[in-house]
Amino acid sequence: MLALRLARGSHPLVLLRRLCVAVAAAGTGFLLLSTVGHAAGHPSAADESLVRLLWCTAPLAATAQFAVSTARTDPAARLQRGMTAAGLGPLRLTLLATVSTALTCVLGVLAALLVFLRLRGDLGGPSAVPLFGADLLGAGHPVPLVGALMLLATVPLTAAAATAVALRPRHEAGAPEDVSRPTIAPPSGLPWGIALAAAGLAIEAYTSRAPGAHSGLLPLPGRLIGSPPGVLAGWALSAFGLVLAGPGLVHLCGRLLCAGRPGALRLLSGRVLQEESHRLGRPLGVLCAVGSAAYAALKVYEASSSRPFGPLTAVGAAVVLACVTASALTAAVESRSARAHTTAALRRLGASASVLYRAAALRTLALVIVLAPLTWTVAEMATLPLVH
C-alpha cells in the first residue's frame, strides 16, 4: 500500500520512467507468450520452441537492468533525513523499491497477456494474427493459461530480484549507502575486458574456418545457435568483455582529457568522467555491446536473401535497444544528481552555465570518440565469419 501511495504522489518524470519499465516488461512478456503459442501450434518442434525461449533471455536481462536503473533514481527509494526514525531504514527502502518494481512489471505483463489473447482472437471478435502470422502466435491452438502465467511471472520476479540485489544495504544501519561504487577500481577491469573481447574474436575467427561453419546464412534466429555455435560463443564473450571494460574505458576517457597541460574545461570534464566511471561504465558498456550486436545483425540481414528476421525479432531488438539506451540515459541523470552539490559550488564560485554545458558536451564527445570506433571494430570483426 505504501508503494502505491508513493507511486501516486511521484514526480511526473518518475512516473514516466516507471511507465517505460512497464512497456519494456510488456514487450518481454509478449515475446515469452509467443514462445508458448509457438509450442502449442508446433508440438513436434520442441527444440525450436526452446531456442525461441532462450532468445528471450536477452530482452529479459535488458528489462531487469532498466528496472534497476529506474529504481536507483527513484527519490522514494533514497535514504533521507528522518526516514530511519520513521521506520524507513535502508532495508525497508530496499523492500519498497523491490515491491514497486514488481508491481510495475506485473502491470506490463498483464497488458502483454491481453494483447496476446486479442491478437489470437481468444477474447472474442476477429483475430488480428495477420500482423504477426498464425504460425508465430499459434492461433487456433489452445494455450495452457497456467503455464503462460508462470512464464510471465519470470519478468517481475527477475526485475524484483535484480533490484533487491542492486539496492541491498551495504553499510551500517542509518548510514547513507552508495550502491554504485564497485569493490574493484575501474582501471583493473579494463585489461580483463579487453582480453575477453580479444579472446572472443579469436574464437570466432577460429571456429569460422571449421567445416560446415557456413552451412546456411541463419534463416531463423534459432539457426544461429545450431549452425556456427563457436561464432555465437565468441560473440557473447566479446560482448561480455565490452561490458566488463566499460568503467575502465570511461575512466580512460577522463584521463585522456586531463593529459598534458589541460585547461579548466578539459580538467573539469576529465575529473568528472574519472569520478563517475563506476556509475556510467557498465550501462555504456552494455550499450556498446548491444550496438555491436545490432550492427552485426544488420549486416547479416543485408547479406541474406531469405530475410532471416521476422516481426518478433524486431520486437525483441526494439525492447533490448530501448532498455539499454534508457539505462545509459538514466545513469547519466543519476550522475548529474550525484554532482548537484559540486555543480552548485562551481556556480557560487562564478562558473557560468555555458561553461558547464561545454564541459558536458566535451565529456560526451570524448566518450563517442573512444567508444564508437571500438564498438564498430568489434561488430565488424564479429560479422566477418557470418557473411563471408
Side-chain angles (χ1 to χ4, degrees):
M1 186 61 67
L2 179 59
L4 292 176
R5 289 181 179 178
L6 289 175
R8 186 179 61 182
S10 299
H11 191 273
L13 185 58
V14 177
L15 293 177
L16 178 61
R17 286 199 291 261
R18 290 176 178 171
L19 178 62
C20 292
V21 173
V23 172
T28 304
F30 184 82
L31 292 173
L32 291 172
L33 289 172
S34 68
T35 63
V36 178
H38 183 272
H42 304 82
S44 60
D47 293 340
E48 186 175 352
S49 299
L50 179 60
V51 168
R52 291 174 181 269
L53 183 61
L54 291 176
W55 274 99
C56 292
T57 56
L60 180 61
T63 301
Q65 184 205 15
F66 182 36
V68 169
S69 62
T70 300
R72 277 178 173 168
T73 57
D74 194 340
R78 295 178 184 174
L79 185 62
Q80 299 179 8
R81 184 176 302 175
M83 282 187 170
T84 304
L88 290 176
L91 184 60
R92 187 74 178 272
L93 288 177
T94 301
L95 180 62
L96 182 64
T98 302
V99 173
S100 299
T101 300
L103 290 176
T104 302
C105 293
V106 165
L107 293 177
V109 296
L110 289 180
L113 179 61
L114 293 177
V115 172
F116 176 75
L117 295 177
R118 176 65 184 86
L119 291 177
R120 283 171 44 91
D122 295 337
L123 298 180
S127 175
V129 291
L131 293 175
F132 288 90
D135 181 66
L136 295 178
L137 302 183
H141 300 275
V143 172
L145 186 58
V146 177
L149 291 177
M150 292 181 62
L151 192 59
L152 282 179
T154 59
V155 180
L157 289 178
T158 302
T163 302
V165 171
L167 300 185
R168 69 187 186 278
R170 299 182 182 179
H171 297 278
E172 297 180 358
E177 57 174 334
D178 186 2
V179 298
S180 300
R181 289 188 179 275
T183 57
I184 303 177
S188 61
L190 182 59
W192 285 105
I194 297 299
L196 286 177
L201 294 176
I203 291 175
E204 291 182 69
Y206 177 77
T207 55
S208 63
R209 298 184 181 184
H214 302 283
S215 58
L217 194 58
L218 316 180
L220 286 175
R223 302 281 182 87
L224 183 57
I225 294 180
S227 196
V231 172
L232 180 63
W235 196 356
L237 192 61
S238 300
F240 181 72
L242 285 178
V243 176
L244 184 62
L249 291 174
V250 175
H251 195 272
L252 178 62
C253 291
R255 297 196 64 174
L256 290 177
L257 284 176
C258 295
R261 305 177 69 177
L265 190 62
R266 284 175 51 198
L267 185 62
L268 176 61
S269 302
R271 291 301 185 189
V272 168
L273 283 181
Q274 293 180 60
E275 180 66 23
E276 297 298 323
S277 60
H278 62 278
R279 201 186 310 266
L280 298 174
R282 290 296 165 81
L284 288 178
V286 173
L287 183 61
C288 291
V290 172
S292 64
Y295 178 82
L298 183 61
K299 291 292 292 289
V300 171
Y301 182 84
E302 292 177 350
S304 175
S305 58
S306 59
R307 293 298 180 252
F309 306 118
L312 292 179
T313 307
V315 172
V319 170
V320 173
L321 287 174
C323 285
V324 298
T325 303
S327 298
L329 293 177
T330 304
V333 172
E334 183 185 8
S335 175
R336 181 180 180 183
S337 300
R339 300 194 315 271
H341 295 292
T342 304
T343 303
L346 290 174
R347 295 298 301 271
R348 288 194 300 268
L349 291 175
S352 62
S354 61
V355 172
L356 298 179
Y357 289 143
R358 287 187 301 181
L362 184 58
R363 292 195 298 270
T364 304
L365 181 61
L367 290 174
V368 171
I369 291 176
V370 172
L371 298 180
L374 179 62
T375 303
W376 178 84
T377 301
V378 172
E380 190 69 24
M381 295 184 67
T383 309
L384 291 178
L386 300 177
V387 299
H388 294 288

